[in-house]
């Protein structure tokens, strides 16, 4: 049995002061739902504030990216050690980073290795665009993202990953995938590819999340699917919806 996991990806929203207010509001309800692994991923400048608020609550903290080098002349970047000081998780390869910031499967691979090197759990995002979906390239794209992104990882490292299937056409559009559709992608493409990359037990043990326009209203549809182990939530993670989503994951 895989434990359900719900992670909130705040993206570029909330100052540290705003983060303090939001987490203080959400915390009592979130703490009450211990059957679900809960993770908040605020922007870098809010990490320290949120880390203090989450200390001892059992709720995890994640960053939204990191650089693969340990230190040095990389102006504007944040190292794995810097993230690891506050966080247990890090989102890697989000489609917005792939689209706007030149992230490739090769840089995803470097970041995953760097994250694992400091004991962080990578939440690795994969997903096809609308054009790829409409031209029947979903399987090929997801297989490439997994094979290249996870290249040269050991089976032991594979067991530490979380995968988020986020069809790009569903992110921030209000047009979520169907529960059955997302489940079929995980069952027919993602887990078989993970089995080729690692092995059967590892592919079965990895938590695979769905992401893309998850709300309080549709969350249960995803969590009712056998192959979907939780959600990576963007817009709704800043709203009261987030509590409803975590509650749905507990059922
Ligand atoms: P959304 O974003 O829930 O706002 O669609 C999900 C994500 O980008 O992780």
């Amino acid at each position: 049995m895989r434990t359900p996991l719900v992670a909130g990806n705040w993206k570029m929203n909330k100052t540290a002061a705003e983060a303090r207010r939001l987490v203080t509001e959400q915390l009592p309800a979130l703490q009450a739902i211990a059957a679900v692994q809960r993770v908040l991923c605020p922007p870098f400048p809010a990490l320290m504030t949120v880390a203090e608020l989450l200390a001892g609550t059992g709720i995890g903290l994640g960053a939204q990216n990191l650089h693969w080098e340990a230190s040095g002349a990389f102006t504007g970047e944040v190292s794995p050690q810097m993230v690891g000081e506050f966080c247990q998780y890090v989102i890697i390869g989000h489609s917005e980073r792939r689209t706007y910031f030149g992230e490739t499967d090769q840089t995803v691979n470097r970041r995953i290795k760097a994250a694992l090197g400091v004991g962080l759990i990578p939440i690795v995002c994969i997903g096809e665009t609308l054009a790829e979906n409409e031209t029947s390239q979903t399987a090929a794209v997801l297989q490439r993202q997994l094979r290249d992104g996870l290249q040269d990882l050991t089976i032991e490292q594979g067991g530490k990953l979380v995968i988020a299937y986020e069809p790009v056409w569903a992110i921030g559009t209000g047009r979520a995938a169907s529960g059955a559709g997302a489940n079929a992608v995980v069952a027919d493409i993602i887990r078989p590819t993970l089995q080729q990359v690692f092995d059967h037990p590892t592919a079965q043990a990895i938590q695979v999340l769905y992401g893309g326009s998850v709300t309080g209203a549709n969350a249960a549809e995803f969590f009712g699917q056998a192959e979907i182990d939780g959600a990576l939530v963007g817009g709704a993670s800043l709203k009261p919806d987030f509590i409803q989503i975590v509650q749905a994951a507990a059922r």
Side-chain angles (χ1 to χ4, degrees):
M1 274 304 277
R2 297 176 294 260
T3 308
L5 191 161
V6 176
N9 172 14
W10 291 12
K11 309 194 179 186
M12 195 174 74
N13 294 292
K14 304 295 175 189
T15 63
E18 290 166 346
R20 177 181 296 282
R21 283 199 288 277
L22 179 62
V23 173
T24 305
E25 252 168 55
Q26 291 182 337
L27 204 49
L30 281 183
Q31 270 193 278
I33 320 168
V36 178
Q37 288 176 7
R38 299 132 294 165
V39 181
L40 304 182
C41 304
F44 289 127
L47 285 178
M48 201 195 286
T49 302
V50 177
E52 283 167 11
L53 293 169
L54 296 184
T57 64
I59 298 167
L61 183 63
Q64 299 173 16
N65 187 29
L66 48 63
H67 191 61
W68 53 83
E69 294 290 347
S71 64
F74 301 99
T75 302
E77 293 297 317
V78 173
S79 77
Q81 286 81 355
M82 293 169 189
V83 171
E85 203 174 351
F86 299 106
C87 297
Q88 302 79 46
Y89 295 84
V90 58
I91 297 171
I92 293 178
H94 191 280
S95 68
E96 286 150 18
R97 297 220 58 87
R98 294 178 192 257
T99 304
Y100 304 131
F101 303 103
E103 187 86 75
T104 64
D105 295 324
Q106 286 65 42
T107 56
V108 164
N109 184 249
R110 288 178 166 196
R111 290 185 218 274
I112 293 171
K113 290 174 181 163
L116 290 168
V118 297
L120 287 162
I121 299 172
I123 301 175
V124 181
C125 300
I126 58 170
E128 81 286 0
T129 63
L130 184 61
E132 289 161 347
N133 184 283
E134 286 175 343
T135 53
S136 306
Q137 294 180 72
T138 300
V141 168
L142 297 178
Q143 285 161 357
R144 188 205 72 223
Q145 289 176 338
L146 287 170
R147 289 202 186 111
D148 293 356
L150 306 181
Q151 199 174 354
D152 299 328
L153 295 187
T154 63
I155 287 175
E156 198 204 333
Q157 288 176 317
K160 295 184 176 140
L161 304 175
V162 174
I163 304 290
Y165 170 52
E166 299 206 304
V168 179
W169 45 269
I171 296 178
T173 59
R175 225 189 108 196
S178 70
N183 191 66
V185 169
V186 179
D188 300 342
I189 303 168
I190 295 177
R191 287 204 199 276
T193 308
L194 290 172
Q195 183 171 334
Q196 286 164 8
V197 172
F198 301 117
D199 61 10
H200 180 74
T202 307
Q204 290 304 311
I206 291 176
Q207 290 160 308
V208 180
L209 315 181
Y210 168 78
S213 297
V214 175
T215 63
N218 67 16
E221 182 186 339
F222 294 102
F223 302 149
Q225 307 294 330
E227 298 297 339
I228 296 176
D229 307 312
L232 181 55
V233 183
S237 70
L238 304 170
K239 301 181 190 159
D241 264 55
F242 191 60
I243 308 298
Q244 288 171 259
I245 294 168
V246 179
Q247 283 166 344
R251 287 196 284 270

